[in-house]
């Protein structure tokens, strides 16, 4: 009745390839500390200071047009993504028992997060929203 | 898993003695070593020992090996073989240092040495005053010995067969060629072919109702050797420790009285004043146990059944109790719901230690008769063995010393023997006796229950053959044993399974226990004197002219045969044992 | 169910809240990135989806989760780097719960009408 | 119940409660590899003394009711580590918990996360493999002195608590991370590594830390404290884990 997952520590060592757990553990703590400020700051400005129900394209576009906000959000995006994705990895490793399945879940997680991270970065830096608004309006006008 | 194994050295038992033997056998590069044990090694009862291991290191005050040897001989009521005691008291010093080098975390003196404390019967200058001789690791010395030795065996990569019950020894032409064992996990029999076999299976305290011994201590190999024609030496000398928790037998260390604890009867009287006016509650174990029994028998026992004594610690500072006796405080609180700080603790003498066992030479070779004829390739060490270090009564802390000294000797000797020997041919029917035994027990009619017979055995041994013995009681016990023996033919197993059939094992163990009881009772019946732990009310005096000799009891058909051999004397002439 | 004590529940809540926030984060970045498609793009339509009832309640829980996760994260860091953090881990956890409520209630006071009111 | 039957059912007796008995229901999760494909609950109704150990109750069932019930035990007073079980939702030693502390309903299951072999007997080999992985023995190749290696009482005190471990597995099998991730090395192994890492005589710290630094080593611990609560020897397990982590973080610095 051989179990497909490594049951003993010795077996697990054979299948584990990285020794980076220490680094991630430290990172979770440092990023966690930073996130306290970043996340609460974010919540404060977007949920307390302004009523989120009033949020619309113009509000977001106008905020993203400010370089300060861009830099702030970049930090938030970067740390929250790494912190959160690594945290999700912990869960995958703890709850998926078969090494094969575990591998594919992680690939899926990393792919999705990479795409979203790229999207997020593009949102922050690829355009100025002035230009973008103009361009869109221009397209609309030609139709 | 294959069921035939071949190792140069096979060790049976993984307590202090077995692991020590395995370690030193494994040091010999020319031999392969395996350990067979019915429990996982760290479950062995060596782990229960609290007090310490006696060795004359002299770390606290001056001490000498000679003094230790003398104390051992006197403590053993002169039945100790004096050459063994001399050798022991010197080698135990080395052995303790070796344990320390293996990493044993001894408690320390302020200058960083192994800490030592006083213990009953250990004195300086041949009885002048108490000496700090017990080397200790807090109140878990045995636990640390067991752990340290197991750790070493991991380092040495010793092969273990855990949860394998040895059921038989293969003895052919005066030589041991290995053992047959039952694998608990699968229910299969395995044969271990060996050049040297070391027996280190511990005690047999479970033949009594109230005992400090583990459930696993059923004297298996004492019985197996006996069935294979090897005698048992001095089985009548069985030590009762005075302070076991009422009905449970869980041990409360001698340290409790060392810290000032007092024994009281139902009337609250400090009765030890009557029995040992000078040292009172700190008299030797056998004396205190006897006094407690007398009190109970004369109706001064406490409790609804008037069958226990109180250990009174209430006058001692609460902080001292908590700090120095944490374990026993916990035991009393958990198991009896009694808080030693404010209440008296109900106690009873508890069956503790077998001084006798499989007879060996000073080199741990098992011998098969009174002329010291050696059984080739067979060794024994630890509580199961009797090199006769403890004589008629063991001193506290000398058992752990025994394990490490004689365990080590056994390992070295057995490996040396194996390195120079060939495998003797294995009889083809080596498993037959074991298979028959198991089949009989599996298929038995079950008109008797194992648990009931065991309880009867334990109760009657406690009543008739424990602290006090008389011809009448012992003869009565002979009758009871005969009855139990006959009824044992009717036991059986409800569990038809092969895997982890613990019921079957208990049935086997009952048979072993029975043999141990038989050895004890017949030897005790014959010995018409009182010496050390063997106390005959009808023969109250020690009798050196007729009885300064070791018992050897043999299985003889359906009965027993008793023989004697002389005690090895030395520097010390027998004197009355006065403390 | 294993009858673990405070530590077990602290861990479980931390993990659940962490996963919830992380999943929300992925979604949130996705929705904000829709801004790239301009004012007439799918952004506002997506926001409308946020106004679904189940989603609003989920959002409230995520916010509460963030507060708990952040505070308990600080508790974990204290335990990792100080001996008294371990010794008083239980008290710290009650502190975390208390503070979560203390911060959470006023925040919800402000946020609930906003979220609920914006129908 | 006849009077002498009552006598038989007990080994432990609290003097004040000698006559007192209680009716209890014991539910045991059973599994017989020779007959069953899955485990089932068996229920036993019996009379016990409030001061009986759970182990006594189990013995009563085994000895008087159903001989096939399988469990491990030896010392019967909490020192050998054989009988860790999941009793009323918490890991404990059956010989160290009394009926009166549990009430009239007792639910007993095998400890979690290790393969069940029969009834309450689980596979301990994999547990011991994890223990062995941390090199739990003194590593010091320097020739020892003729007498003992010196160690001050303060140095000795540094690792006192982790020397108490009896390898009962109550901690590891109470850990929520271990339940779902059997390759986590587990608190018991870390406790035993701690015992050597903080021993001034040992020189194997680097090797041991390397082992525990690997993928499923001690960074897996999420400080759930179930291990600390479960330890029958009162070892501050989580604290020991944190100490080893810090040793790892700041080593060689
Ligand atoms: C509560 C208590 C406190 C004590 N305190 C002290 C003290 O302070 N100082 C002191 O010096 N002494 C003390 N003693 C005595 C001492 O601890 C024991 O005598 C000693 O530990 C016995 O060790 P051992 O190696 O012979 O056997 P054990 O440690 O009992 O080991 C027996 C081994 O044999 C195995 N075994 C048994 N039968 C079989 C079989 N059929 N097949 C395979 N394997 C088998 C078992 O699995 C086990 O591994 C104490 C004893 C008790 C009970
Ligand atoms: C606000 C401040 C935050 C702090 C102080 C913080 C702190 C921590 C810490 C210390 C851990 C490690 C837990 C452990 O090792 O036991 C952790 C885990 C985790 N965090 Fe955060 N975190 C914060 C915000 C976030 C955010 C914004 C997310 C989501 C994007 C997140 C998701 C996670 C996840 C999924 C885990 C893994 C949980 C587990 O495996 O048990 N955290 N956090
Ligand atoms: S640390 Fe405690 S719970 Fe864990 S194995 Fe050791 S004694 Fe048992
Ligand atoms: S229960 Fe598990 S998560 Fe850590 S603190 Fe104990 S090992
Ligand atoms: S039987 Fe030994 S710990 Fe319970």
């Amino acid at each position: 009745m051989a179990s497909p997952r490594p049951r003993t520590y010795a077996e697990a060592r054979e299948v584990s390839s990285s020794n980076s757990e220490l680094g991630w553990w430290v990172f979770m703590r440092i990023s966690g500390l930073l996130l306290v400020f970043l996340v609460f700051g974010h919540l404060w400005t977007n949920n307390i200071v302004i009523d989120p129900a009033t949020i619309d394209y113009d509000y977001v576009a106008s905020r993203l047009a400010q370089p300060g906000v861009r830099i702030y959000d970049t930090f938030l995006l970067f740390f929250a993504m790494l912190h959160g994705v690594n945290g999700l990895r912990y869960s995958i490793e703890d709850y998926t028992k078969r090494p094969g399945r575990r591998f594919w879940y992680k690939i899926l997680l990393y792919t999705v997060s990479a795409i979203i991270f790229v999207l997020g970065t593009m949102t922050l830096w690829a355009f100025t929203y002035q230009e973008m608004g103009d361009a869109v309006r221009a397209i609309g006008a030609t139709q | 898993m294959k069921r035939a194994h071949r190792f140069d050295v096979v060790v049976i038992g993984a307590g202090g003695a077995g692991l020590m033997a395995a370690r030193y056998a494994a040091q010999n590069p020319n031999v392969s070593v395996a350990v067979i044990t019915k429990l996982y090694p760290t479950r062995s009862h060596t782990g229960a020992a609290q007090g310490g291991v006696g060795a004359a290191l002299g770390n606290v005050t001056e001490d000498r090996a000679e003094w230790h040897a003398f104390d051992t001989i006197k403590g053993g009521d002169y039945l100790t073989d004096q050459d063994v005691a001399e050798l022991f008291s010197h080698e135990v010093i080395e052995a303790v240092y070796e344990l320390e080098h293996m990493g044993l975390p001894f408690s320390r003196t302020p200058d960083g040495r192994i800490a030592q404390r006083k213990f009953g019967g250990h004195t300086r200058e041949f009885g002048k005053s108490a000496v700090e001789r017990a080397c200790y690791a807090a109140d878990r010395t045995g636990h640390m010995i067991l752990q340290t030795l197991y750790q070493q065996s991991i380092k040495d990569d010793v092969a273990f067969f855990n949860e394998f019950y040895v059921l038989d020894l293969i003895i052919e032409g005066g030589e041991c060629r290995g053992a047959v064992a039952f694998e608990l996990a699968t229910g299969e029999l395995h044969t271990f072919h060996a050049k040297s076999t070391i027996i280190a299976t511990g005690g047999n305290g479970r033949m009594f109702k109230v005992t400090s011994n583990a459930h696993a201590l059923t004297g298996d190999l004492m019985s197996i050797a006996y069935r294979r024609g090897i005698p048992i030496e001095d089985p009548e000398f069985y030590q009762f420790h005075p302070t076991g928790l009422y009905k449970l037998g869980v041990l409360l260390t001698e340290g409790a009285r060392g810290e000032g604890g007092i024994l009281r009867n139902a009337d609250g009287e400090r009765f030890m004043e009557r029995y040992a006016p000078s040292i009172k509650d700190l008299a030797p174990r056998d004396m205190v146990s006897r006094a407690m029994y007398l009190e109970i028998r004369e109706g001064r026992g406490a409790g609804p059944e008037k069958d226990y004594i109180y250990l009174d610690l209430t006058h001692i500072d609460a902080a001292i109790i908590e700090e120095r006796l944490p374990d026993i405080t916990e035991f009393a609180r958990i198991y009896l719901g009694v808080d030693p700080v404010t209440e008296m603790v109900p106690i009873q003498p508890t069956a503790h230690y077998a001084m006798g066992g499989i007879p060996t030479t000073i080199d741990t070779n098992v011998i098969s008769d009174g002329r010291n004829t050696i059984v080739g390739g067979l060794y024994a060490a630890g509580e199961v063995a009797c090199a006769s270090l403890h004589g008629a009564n063991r001193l506290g802390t000398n058992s752990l010393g025994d394990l490490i000294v004689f365990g080590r000797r056994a390992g070295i000797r057995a490996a040396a023997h194996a390195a120079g020997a060939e495998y003797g041919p294995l009889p083809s029917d080596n498993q037959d006796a074991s298979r028959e035994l198991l089949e009989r027990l599996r298929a038995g009619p079950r008109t008797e229950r194992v648990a009931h017979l065991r309880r009867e055995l334990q109760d009657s041994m406690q009543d008739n053959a424990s602290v006090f013995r008389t011809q009448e009681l012992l003869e009565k016990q002979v009758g009871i044993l005969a009855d139990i023996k006959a009824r044992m033919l009717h036991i059986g197993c409800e569990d038809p399974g092969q895997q982890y059939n613990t019921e079957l094992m208990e049935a086997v163990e009952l048979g072993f226990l029975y043999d141990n009881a038989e050895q004890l009772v017949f030897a005790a019946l014959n010995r018409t004197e009182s010496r050390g732990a063997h106390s005959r009310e009808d023969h109250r005096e020690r009798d050196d002219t007729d009885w300064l000799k070791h018992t050897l009891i043999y299985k003889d058909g359906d009965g027993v045969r008793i023989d004697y051999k002389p005690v090895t004397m030395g520097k010390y002439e027998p004197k009355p044992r006065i403390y | 169910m294993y009858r673990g004590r405070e530590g077990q529940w602290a861990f479980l809540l931390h993990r659940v809240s962490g996963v919830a926030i992380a999943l929300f984060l992925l979604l949130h970045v996705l929705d904000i990135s829709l801004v790239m498609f301009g004012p007439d793009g799918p952004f506002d339509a997506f926001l409308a989806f946020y106004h679904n009832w189940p989603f609003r309640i989920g959002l409230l829980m995520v916010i509460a989760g963030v507060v708990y996760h952040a505070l308990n994260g600080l508790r974990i860091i204290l335990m990792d780097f100080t001996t008294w953090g371990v010794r008083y881990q239980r008290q710290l956890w009650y502190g975390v719960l208390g503070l979560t409520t203390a911060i959470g209630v006023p925040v919800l006071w402000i946020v609930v009408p906003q979220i609920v009111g914006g129908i | 119940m006849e009077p002498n039957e009552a006598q038989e059912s007990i080994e432990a007796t609290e003097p004040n409660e000698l006559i007192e008995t209680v009716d209890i229901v014991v539910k045991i999760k059973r599994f017989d590899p020779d007959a069953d494909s899955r485990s089932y609950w068996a229920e036993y109704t019996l009379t016990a003394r409030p001061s009986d150990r759970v182990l006594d109750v189990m013995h009563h069932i085994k000895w008087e009711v159903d001989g096939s019930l399988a469990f491990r035990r030896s010392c019967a007073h909490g020192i050998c580590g054989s009988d860790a079980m999941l009793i009323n939702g918490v890991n404990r030693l059956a010989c160290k918990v009394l009926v009166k502390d549990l009430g009239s309903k007792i639910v007993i299951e095998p400890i979690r996360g290790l393969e069940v072999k029969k009834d309450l007997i689980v596979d301990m080999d994999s547990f011991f493999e994890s223990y062995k992985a941390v090199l739990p023995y003194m590593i010091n190749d320097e020739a020892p002195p003729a007498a003992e290696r010196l160690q001050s009482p303060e140095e000795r005190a540094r690792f006192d608590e982790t020397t108490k471990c009896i390898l009962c597995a109550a901690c590891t099998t109470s850990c929520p991370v271990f339940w779902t991730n059997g390759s986590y090395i587990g608190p018991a192994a870390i406790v035993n590594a701690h015992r050597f890492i903080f021993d001034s005589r040992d020189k194997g710290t680097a090797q041991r830390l390397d082992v525990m630094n690997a993928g499923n080593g001690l960074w897996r611990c999420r400080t759930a404290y179930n291990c600390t609560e479960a330890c029958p020897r009162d070892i501050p397990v989580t604290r020991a884990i944190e100490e080893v982590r810090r040793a790892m973080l700041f080593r060689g610095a």
Side-chain angles (χ1 to χ4, degrees):
Chain A
M1 215 178 74
S3 151
R5 69 168 156 155
R7 301 265 347 176
T8 67
Y9 186 66
E11 284 164 21
R13 264 203 98 190
E14 277 162 30
V15 297
S16 94
S17 53
S18 89
N19 254 28
S20 50
E21 288 299 338
L22 183 154
W24 282 112
W25 187 87
V26 174
F27 173 78
M28 288 305 267
R29 275 127 192 95
I30 295 175
S31 59
L33 280 178
L34 291 172
L35 282 168
V36 173
F37 301 100
L38 293 169
V39 170
F40 283 120
H42 181 82
L43 285 175
W44 179 260
T45 43
N46 295 307
N47 286 65
I48 311 288
V49 177
I50 105 145
D51 181 345
T54 64
I55 291 180
D56 58 8
Y57 175 84
D58 289 334
Y59 169 76
V60 177
S62 67
R63 268 182 58 79
L64 289 181
Q66 306 162 25
V69 171
R70 285 185 176 189
I71 291 171
Y72 186 99
D73 282 4
T74 303
F75 272 101
L76 178 59
L77 177 69
F78 180 79
F79 283 111
M81 283 293 285
L82 273 182
H83 181 104
V85 169
N86 186 51
L88 290 176
R89 175 181 70 90
Y90 286 160
S91 282
I92 290 177
E93 285 177 350
D94 282 351
Y95 298 121
T96 54
K97 310 207 164 172
R98 294 218 221 121
R101 206 175 272 181
R102 181 190 280 206
F103 176 78
W104 288 111
Y105 280 149
K106 282 202 270 185
I107 293 290
L108 182 70
L109 172 69
Y110 297 153
T111 317
V112 170
S113 348
I115 293 171
I116 290 182
F117 184 73
V118 169
L119 277 178
T121 320
M122 280 169 62
T123 314
L124 291 172
W125 295 105
F127 308 98
T128 68
Y129 288 85
Q130 222 52 53
E131 287 167 18
M132 207 163 72
D134 290 347
V136 171
R137 270 184 286 276
I139 295 167
T142 56
Q143 280 174 345
Chain B
M1 194 189 226
K2 72 178 176 40
R3 282 177 284 157
H5 314 264
R6 217 174 219 226
F7 291 93
D8 294 320
V9 178
V10 163
V11 182
I12 308 170
L19 291 174
M20 196 77 180
R23 164 162 178 72
Y24 281 90
Q27 304 276 289
N28 187 325
N30 303 320
V31 302
S32 56
V33 182
V35 180
I36 315 174
T37 164
K38 73 177 181 181
L39 305 170
Y40 274 85
T42 54
R43 315 293 182 227
S44 303
H45 211 52
T46 295
Q50 306 164 353
V53 43
L57 309 184
N59 281 355
V60 178
T61 47
E62 191 199 349
D63 198 4
R64 295 204 198 133
E66 296 80 64
W67 301 343
H68 188 185
F70 170 78
D71 292 337
T72 303
I73 293 162
K74 179 180 173 194
D77 223 350
Y78 297 91
L79 197 69
T80 296
D81 282 340
Q82 298 198 6
D83 55 338
V84 175
E86 297 275 357
L87 172 115
F88 166 78
S89 61
H90 286 91
E91 282 200 0
V92 72
I93 297 173
E94 240 169 83
V96 163
Y97 285 140
E98 270 163 33
L99 284 177
E100 198 280 337
H101 297 155
M102 288 178 212
L104 198 142
F106 282 108
S107 296
R108 299 287 166 160
T109 61
D111 58 345
R113 304 191 163 276
I114 295 171
Q116 297 187 279
R117 62 180 163 212
K118 295 178 183 160
F119 228 85
H122 290 280
T123 66
R124 51 179 296 136
E125 295 175 70
F126 312 106
K128 271 207 179 135
S129 60
V131 71
E132 286 86 351
R133 185 176 290 146
C135 310
Y136 64 95
D139 55 356
R140 43 179 191 282
T141 315
H143 165 76
M144 286 333 316
I145 289 182
L146 188 65
Q147 295 287 327
T148 303
L149 289 173
Y150 181 57
Q151 290 157 357
Q152 281 299 312
S153 70
I154 293 173
K155 187 175 185 181
D156 300 342
D157 215 6
V158 174
F160 279 99
F161 293 85
N162 296 329
E163 299 192 320
F164 276 63
Y165 283 67
V166 169
L167 299 181
D168 206 356
L169 290 170
I170 306 167
I171 297 181
E172 278 282 304
E175 189 182 271
C176 181
R177 305 210 173 130
V180 177
F182 171 90
E183 183 183 9
L184 188 64
T186 62
E188 287 168 343
L189 286 175
H190 293 243
T191 299
F192 292 83
H193 193 187
K195 295 178 187 168
S196 296
T197 306
I198 303 174
I199 303 172
T201 51
N204 53 7
R206 279 283 152 182
M207 71 177 128
F208 293 100
K209 176 171 134 196
V210 179
T211 176
S212 66
N213 281 201
H215 283 281
L217 290 177
T218 46
D220 303 0
L221 266 287
M222 297 188 198
S223 160
I224 292 169
Y226 178 68
R227 290 176 189 182
R228 287 283 161 204
I230 294 165
I232 296 298
E233 182 173 344
D234 293 340
E236 67 271 40
F237 296 102
Y238 198 92
Q239 183 171 75
F240 281 76
H241 195 292
T243 51
L245 274 192
Y246 176 55
K247 287 222 169 165
L248 291 152
V250 173
L251 197 76
L252 305 184
T253 174
E254 222 163 81
R257 278 167 294 139
E259 298 294 346
I262 291 172
L263 300 172
R264 296 189 189 280
N265 60 21
D267 312 327
E269 182 206 2
R270 184 179 193 179
F271 59 87
M272 280 311 293
E273 282 173 339
R274 278 187 278 118
Y275 298 90
S278 61
I279 44 174
K280 303 185 183 91
D281 303 282
L282 276 169
R285 287 177 185 178
D286 51 342
M287 294 185 184
V288 180
S289 291
R290 275 197 290 277
M292 288 169 64
Y293 245 75
L294 280 175
E295 289 299 302
I296 290 170
R297 256 206 347 222
E298 285 162 21
R300 290 191 291 276
E305 291 166 44
K306 290 185 166 298
D307 60 349
Y308 59 80
I309 294 292
Y310 290 117
L311 174 63
D312 183 3
L313 302 173
T314 55
H315 55 286
I316 303 172
D317 193 29
I320 292 187
I321 298 182
E322 302 277 359
E323 186 193 309
R324 302 203 195 148
L325 305 167
D327 262 22
I328 69 158
T329 309
E330 193 194 0
F331 291 149
R333 281 180 188 152
I334 292 188
Y335 294 120
L336 294 187
V338 169
D339 187 348
V341 175
T342 54
E343 293 162 272
M344 299 198 286
V345 186
I347 52 158
Q348 250 178 344
T350 181
H352 188 54
Y353 186 87
M355 268 72 74
I358 299 174
T360 70
T361 64
I362 199 168
D363 288 330
T364 69
N365 289 89
V366 172
I367 53 185
S368 60
D369 57 29
R371 278 166 285 116
N372 286 352
T373 307
I374 284 171
V375 182
L378 188 59
Y379 303 80
E383 190 171 338
V384 73
C386 179
S388 205
L389 172 67
H390 309 299
N393 177 51
R394 173 179 71 92
L395 283 192
T397 80
N398 265 0
S399 170
L400 292 176
D402 178 345
L403 306 184
I404 57 177
V405 168
F406 293 100
R408 182 172 77 154
R409 284 179 88 76
I412 294 171
R413 303 287 144 152
H417 172 262
E422 295 295 320
Y423 283 100
L426 210 53
S428 58
D429 63 349
N430 66 70
Q431 293 191 348
D432 289 4
S434 309
R435 186 164 298 114
E436 240 165 68
L437 172 74
L438 294 178
E439 257 147 40
R440 183 168 60 72
L441 292 172
R442 260 185 204 287
R446 279 206 283 133
T447 45
E448 292 283 355
R449 272 183 179 272
V450 170
H452 294 176
L453 290 181
R454 184 177 48 218
R455 196 171 295 127
E456 278 180 42
L457 180 80
Q458 293 166 336
D459 289 354
S460 60
M461 286 296 287
Q462 188 87 23
D463 290 343
N464 303 324
S466 58
V467 173
F468 271 118
R469 297 157 180 177
T470 63
Q471 175 148 1
E472 194 191 346
L473 285 175
L474 290 167
E475 276 169 354
K476 180 171 160 206
Q477 186 63 9
V478 168
I480 293 174
L481 287 181
D483 174 55
I484 290 176
K485 188 175 187 176
R487 287 159 63 203
M488 279 198 316
L489 295 172
H490 307 301
I491 57 176
C493 270
E494 260 170 276
D495 187 351
Q498 294 293 327
Q499 304 181 44
Y500 292 98
N501 193 333
T502 50
E503 189 189 15
L504 180 60
M505 287 330 303
E506 287 193 25
V508 175
E509 286 171 346
L510 173 65
F512 292 153
L513 267 187
Y514 170 83
D515 283 351
N516 282 266
E518 178 179 286
Q519 294 153 9
L520 187 148
V521 170
F522 281 100
L525 187 56
N526 249 32
R527 187 176 281 272
T528 49
E529 66 158 349
S530 289
R531 180 187 297 273
H534 173 67
S535 172
R536 287 281 299 254
E537 270 181 294
D538 41 3
H539 301 274
R540 287 168 188 266
E541 296 303 315
R542 192 174 80 192
D543 175 358
D544 288 329
T545 33
D546 285 337
W547 286 108
L548 190 56
K549 56 188 181 187
H550 296 294
T551 303
L552 289 176
I553 183 162
Y554 298 79
K555 190 169 176 58
D556 187 14
D558 245 2
V560 301
R561 177 164 61 83
I562 297 179
D563 200 359
Y564 294 92
K565 72 168 194 174
V567 176
T568 310
M569 300 306 289
K571 278 190 255 177
Y572 308 106
E573 283 303 311
K575 291 207 193 86
R577 199 166 57 117
I578 299 167
Y579 283 91
Chain C
M1 180 54 86
Y2 193 90
R3 276 180 34 235
R5 297 192 52 175
E6 291 83 349
Q8 175 182 311
W9 303 114
F11 152 72
L12 214 71
L13 262 181
H14 193 79
R15 176 159 277 188
V16 169
S17 61
V19 169
I21 307 163
L23 294 178
F24 174 77
L25 172 75
L26 295 178
L27 191 73
H28 186 52
V29 176
L30 202 67
D31 78 58
I32 293 294
S33 70
L34 295 179
V35 168
M36 285 192 293
F37 294 94
D40 303 325
F43 181 80
D44 283 332
F46 205 91
L47 275 190
F49 161 71
Y50 272 23
H51 291 159
N52 271 330
W53 266 107
F55 201 89
R56 286 184 202 182
I57 294 177
L59 201 63
L60 285 176
M61 303 221 334
V62 168
I63 293 177
V66 169
V67 179
Y68 171 79
H69 187 94
L71 292 172
N72 192 57
L74 295 176
R75 167 178 166 269
I76 292 173
I77 294 170
L78 281 177
M79 298 187 310
D80 288 336
F81 294 99
T82 67
T83 37
W84 63 265
V86 170
R87 190 168 330 130
Y88 297 112
Q89 59 96 2
R90 256 180 227 141
Q91 290 85 331
L92 279 172
W93 192 59
Y94 290 118
V96 166
L97 291 185
L99 266 180
T100 305
T101 335
I103 298 176
V105 168
V107 168
L108 293 182
W109 189 260
I110 300 173
V111 173
V112 168
Q114 292 173 351
I115 294 181
V116 175
I119 302 173
Chain D
M1 177 181 261
E2 286 164 38
N4 75 331
E5 234 181 283
Q7 188 104 45
E8 280 163 5
S9 75
I10 53 122
E11 283 199 356
T13 308
E14 196 198 66
N16 315 335
E17 296 169 11
L18 249 180
I19 340 276
E20 203 182 317
T21 56
V22 286
D23 292 325
I24 55 171
V25 179
V26 185
K27 260 179 82 176
I28 301 182
K29 196 180 210 170
R30 299 201 52 181
F31 170 70
D32 177 358
D34 291 321
D36 309 329
S37 54
R38 49 192 300 190
S39 60
Y40 62 95
W41 288 100
E43 223 175 85
Y44 307 89
T45 312
L46 52 124
T47 308
R49 313 249 156 149
S51 57
D52 279 353
R53 293 166 282 197
V54 170
L55 182 63
D56 299 323
V57 171
M58 299 187 70
H59 271 148
H60 179 82
I61 295 170
K62 182 174 182 61
W63 292 343
E64 309 291 340
V65 184
D66 182 351
S68 67
L69 180 64
F71 52 92
R72 293 188 176 102
R73 90 288 186 252
S74 184
C75 71
H77 68 283
I79 199 73
C80 76
S82 298
D83 58 347
M85 298 170 194
L86 183 44
I87 301 172
N88 283 11
V90 186
N91 277 4
R92 328 189 191 217
L93 299 176
C95 63
K96 234 183 154 175
V97 53
L98 306 188
V99 169
K100 68 173 171 221
D101 301 322
L102 295 175
S104 60
K105 183 155 182 172
I106 300 177
V107 184
I108 305 172
E109 298 169 57
I111 45 177
R112 289 192 187 157
L114 296 169
E115 193 190 327
V116 177
K117 295 289 196 178
K118 180 172 180 181
D119 295 341
L120 298 156
I121 296 182
V122 298
D123 167 48
M124 290 298 287
D125 286 339
S126 62
F127 172 78
F128 276 100
E129 284 310 315
S130 300
Y131 164 71
K132 289 177 194 167
V134 303
L135 318 178
Y137 41 79
M138 174 80 88
I139 298 177
N140 184 341
D141 294 332
E142 287 162 27
E148 66 268 64
R149 291 192 168 105
L150 297 182
Q151 181 172 57
S152 71
E154 295 72 35
E155 287 168 331
R156 170 66 180 72
R158 185 70 190 81
F159 63 102
D160 184 62
E161 286 181 300
T162 42
T163 64
K164 292 180 189 163
C165 177
I166 54 175
L167 296 168
C168 66
C171 54
T172 296
T173 59
S174 74
C175 172
V177 175
F178 181 77
W179 295 333
T180 56
N181 182 357
S183 41
Y184 167 41
I185 191 170
I190 304 172
V191 160
N192 284 281
H194 179 283
R195 177 250 170 275
F196 286 100
I197 289 170
F198 293 97
D199 187 331
S200 57
R201 301 167 296 170
D202 183 84
K203 306 266 184 263
T205 302
Q207 288 151 268
R208 237 170 245 122
L209 291 184
D210 279 347
V211 174
M212 281 187 298
N213 199 11
N216 284 299
L218 58 56
W219 302 115
R220 286 267 154 229
C221 167
R222 298 264 90 84
T223 46
Y225 290 91
N226 279 4
C227 52
T228 305
E229 314 277 3
C231 180
R233 304 281 289 159
D234 292 332
I235 298 170
V237 181
T238 309
R239 196 179 87 202
I241 295 174
E242 293 287 18
E243 285 176 1
V244 177
R245 274 180 179 159
R246 268 171 277 169
M248 195 117 66
L249 279 178
F250 304 118
R251 74 165 140 167

